[in-house]
Amino acid sequence: MANVSTTENQGRMPSPLSSLGDSLPKILIRFGLLMLLDALTISFVWQLWFSGGAGFAITVTLVVIAINVVFLRTDAMPLRWIMPGLAFMIMMHIYPVIFTVFTAFTNYGDGHLVEKPVAIQQIESRTYVPEGAPTYGWTAYRDADGNIALWLVDEEGDTYFADSEGNYAPAEEVPGIGELDANGAPLSIEGYTRVPANQKLVTLPELQGHTYGPADGGVQVTGINTATQTEQKYEYDAENDTMVDQETGLIYYNVEGTFTAEDGDQLRPGFPVTIGAENFTRIATNPAIRGPFSTIFIWTFIWAFFSVFLTFALGLFYSLVMNKPDMPFQRAIRVLMIVPYALPPFISVLIWRGLLNPVLGVIGTQWNPGWFTDPFWAKVGVLGVNLWLGYAYMFLITTGALQGISRDIYEAAKVDGASGIYQFRKITLPLLLVAVGPLLIGSFAFNFNNFTIIDLYNSGGPPIAGAATPAGHTDILISYTYRLAFAGGRGADYGLAAAISIIIFVIVAIITLFNFRYTGMLEEVSENV
């Protein structure tokens, strides 16, 4: 083998880098790009890790390690072509699925958005004014970076200087102090500009909640002319995992990510913790959630069924009418029939909203049974809009399927005396369903998650009275989930929304499996394995 290798290299000894399979410039470029990717990844992962995104940071790290391995090993060369796609699939598809499943078993949502260390830090930053605490008069000074420092004068006339970096010292220890005014505040301090008295009210919001000096025993501005010494109100006990109120002695215990006292008082913010199947249990047992959920669950199936049935019926009717050989202007009419399918639904739905508007709409001003306010007519309205948008698609596929049915069958049926209705029931419809049946099942699955029309038509409204969650009478499961997670106006509940997402996934998966079984695709795939 050594002789063969020497011959192939025209007598030259192979380079040590030749085992990597490329020329030296290509190897250097590859190394350079990988080093740049690794450097950017380290910076990105570092920020992710300390901002609470540990899961995604680990995912990104593993993906980048895999990229390095694939592009450094010659035996992994075939994977280089698909590695970018695999990387994006892992980060943009697989990771969100895993994160959603994990979230479904947590209390992640409003009030539990930050990690535990951050929540503890925020709670411990709160202060209280102890009894008999000294008070100060204050004057503000602003440095070149816009940070505010305070000149403090206590009740005995002693003066102190405190800056935004936590430095707190008697005035005599501060260099660069200028001449004092009648109130005992310097007219100038080196490195600072005095804030005019008429600007104190404007400055006040910047000072609210900020402690000057040490966290325990520092000073906070409490009024336009007064500041008061404060002390830390809550202290975390790591050994017992409790928060102690240092003012009252009350102990707050960690109850599912929220520090809660025995009297029910809670400290916010909380933090995410795993709560098992509680989100699924809430759906099944909590009347405030079960009521609107069951209503929306049933309506979702009704919506998907009638969306498919009505659009298929109307599309098939038009395709049968247009299938007559002697129909005048047949081609022109067929083109006009598919116009609704060519228009984006974002435009069509908004046009229909305008037509049905009870104040300005052409239809709504003449006939308004409650297109947006009545639960029944709102459902009729959104089904009507979807009928307009969807019949053209059914018209297209049924027209194509009808062209594939032999005319000889109909001629034979006529000879046997079959009526038009009998031919439709026994010939047209069965043969048509063989061709378009899988598409109807796919359309059912599509409408099951047809978020766009539901949200654009009436945002899921009108609201379900008495519902504890943001639910509307025209909401389907996917729009209900969206409102729970992002747009409810009553606080986000990501854990509950993720649990409902899993239920939707199971339903759609069952529909998909049924579709595969119906079309025989599973059998075809298994034969090729």
Side-chain angles (χ1 to χ4, degrees):
M1 292 298 293
N3 292 335
V4 174
S5 178
T6 304
T7 303
E8 290 178 348
N9 288 282
Q10 297 179 346
R12 294 176 296 173
M13 294 298 293
S15 165
L17 292 175
S18 63
S19 61
L20 296 175
D22 276 321
S23 63
L24 182 59
K26 289 183 178 179
I27 293 172
L28 293 178
I29 292 173
R30 194 192 316 160
F31 269 96
L33 291 175
L34 286 176
M35 291 171 65
L36 178 61
L37 175 65
D38 293 344
L40 293 174
T41 301
I42 291 172
S43 173
F44 182 58
V45 167
W46 182 271
Q47 296 179 38
L48 269 179
W49 187 273
F50 289 100
S51 60
F56 192 57
I58 293 173
T59 304
V60 172
T61 303
L62 294 176
V63 168
V64 172
I65 290 174
I67 291 175
N68 278 270
V69 172
V70 167
F71 280 86
L72 289 176
R73 292 182 62 89
T74 54
D75 55 354
M77 183 177 292
L79 292 176
R80 294 177 187 177
W81 302 101
I82 61 173
M83 196 60 215
L86 287 175
F88 280 106
M89 185 184 73
I90 293 171
M91 290 189 291
M92 308 300 290
H93 185 72
I94 296 177
Y95 172 75
V97 170
I98 296 173
F99 183 74
T100 300
V101 173
F102 172 75
T103 302
F105 295 93
T106 70
N107 61 349
Y108 188 44
D110 273 6
H112 302 87
L113 293 174
V114 298
E115 296 297 324
K116 186 176 181 180
V118 179
I120 292 174
Q121 183 182 11
Q122 291 186 13
I123 294 172
E124 285 188 327
S125 67
R126 297 171 191 170
T127 58
Y128 74 102
V129 179
E131 187 176 357
T135 58
Y136 303 83
W138 62 273
T139 304
Y141 297 81
R142 196 182 293 275
D143 65 12
D145 296 327
N147 301 315
I148 296 178
L150 296 182
W151 179 270
L152 301 167
V153 182
D154 65 13
E155 295 168 342
E156 285 75 28
D158 296 328
T159 55
Y160 303 89
F161 184 75
D163 62 20
S164 59
E165 297 179 356
N167 299 313
Y168 181 86
E172 56 270 20
E173 298 179 8
V174 180
I177 301 296
E179 183 181 352
L180 303 182
D181 63 8
N183 297 321
L187 296 172
S188 64
I189 298 178
E190 185 178 350
Y192 292 89
T193 302
R194 179 168 172 168
V195 176
N198 59 2
Q199 296 293 317
K200 291 182 74 173
L201 191 60
V202 179
T203 309
L204 207 54
E206 296 182 57
L207 299 171
Q208 292 293 328
H210 185 82
T211 301
Y212 284 86
D216 190 11
V219 175
Q220 284 190 358
V221 172
T222 55
I224 192 169
N225 291 313
T226 58
T228 308
Q229 183 176 340
T230 58
E231 293 184 2
Q232 181 179 338
K233 184 170 178 60
Y234 299 104
E235 184 176 12
Y236 178 63
D237 183 352
E239 183 177 351
N240 297 313
D241 195 19
T242 57
M243 194 69 72
V244 181
D245 187 336
Q246 299 191 99
E247 182 181 8
T248 64
L250 194 62
I251 298 176
Y252 293 79
Y253 300 92
N254 180 5
V255 180
E256 293 188 347
T258 303
F259 288 109
T260 307
E262 292 182 348
D263 61 0
D265 187 34
Q266 295 181 332
L267 298 178
R268 300 289 183 176
F271 46 89
V273 295
T274 54
I275 55 174
E278 186 175 324
N279 288 319
F280 296 93
T281 306
R282 288 169 63 196
I283 296 172
T285 60
N286 189 331
I289 297 176
R290 185 180 58 197
F293 180 83
S294 58
T295 301
I296 292 170
F297 186 82
I298 294 170
W299 162 242
T300 302
F301 277 93
I302 294 174
W303 152 260
F305 172 77
F306 277 103
S307 292
V308 176
F309 176 76
L310 293 176
T311 54
F312 176 71
L314 187 61
L316 177 59
F317 171 76
Y318 281 129
S319 62
L320 289 172
V321 172
M322 292 293 107
N323 203 38
K324 301 292 183 183
D326 54 348
M327 171 67 67
F329 308 109
Q330 186 183 55
R331 292 187 178 180
I333 296 175
R334 278 178 172 170
V335 171
L336 292 175
M337 296 290 288
I338 63 173
V339 168
Y341 189 55
L343 290 175
F346 299 99
I347 297 175
S348 298
V349 178
L350 295 180
I351 290 174
W352 274 102
R353 278 190 59 178
L355 293 173
L356 298 175
N357 187 291
V359 179
L360 302 172
V362 174
I363 300 175
T365 53
Q366 303 301 318
W367 181 37
N368 179 32
W371 296 115
F372 304 103
T373 55
D374 183 81
F376 174 76
W377 286 104
K379 292 174 180 175
V380 172
V382 74
L383 278 171
V385 173
N386 201 29
L387 175 62
W388 165 262
L389 291 171
Y391 87 89
Y393 170 72
M394 296 298 181
F395 171 73
L396 278 175
I397 62 172
T398 52
T399 297
L402 286 176
Q403 307 303 314
I405 301 177
S406 172
R407 303 300 305 176
D408 295 340
I409 302 176
Y410 292 102
E411 295 299 332
K414 287 179 181 177
V415 171
D416 291 340
S419 64
I421 296 177
Y422 188 86
Q423 291 178 37
F424 176 77
R425 288 196 302 112
K426 296 298 182 180
I427 299 174
T428 305
L429 192 58
L431 293 177
L432 200 64
L433 287 178
V434 171
V436 304
L439 296 176
L440 296 181
I441 297 173
S443 181
F444 183 90
F446 171 78
N447 282 291
F448 199 86
N449 288 324
N450 197 340
F451 172 84
T452 304
I453 294 177
I454 297 295
D455 195 61
L456 288 178
Y457 179 75
N458 199 23
S459 299
I464 296 177
T469 52
H473 283 284
T474 58
D475 262 324
I476 57 177
L477 285 174
I478 189 67
S479 62
Y480 177 53
T481 304
Y482 172 79
R483 255 172 277 287
L484 276 176
F486 305 110
R490 304 182 188 180
D493 195 339
Y494 300 119
L496 182 61
I500 297 175
S501 298
I502 292 176
I503 294 173
I504 296 174
F505 169 77
V506 172
I507 295 171
V508 175
I510 293 172
I511 295 172
T512 305
L513 288 174
F514 179 73
N515 192 10
F516 281 154
R517 187 174 182 82
Y518 186 84
T519 59
M521 289 180 64
L522 277 178
E523 288 79 3
E524 292 178 10
V525 171
S526 62
E527 289 175 0
N528 295 327
V529 173

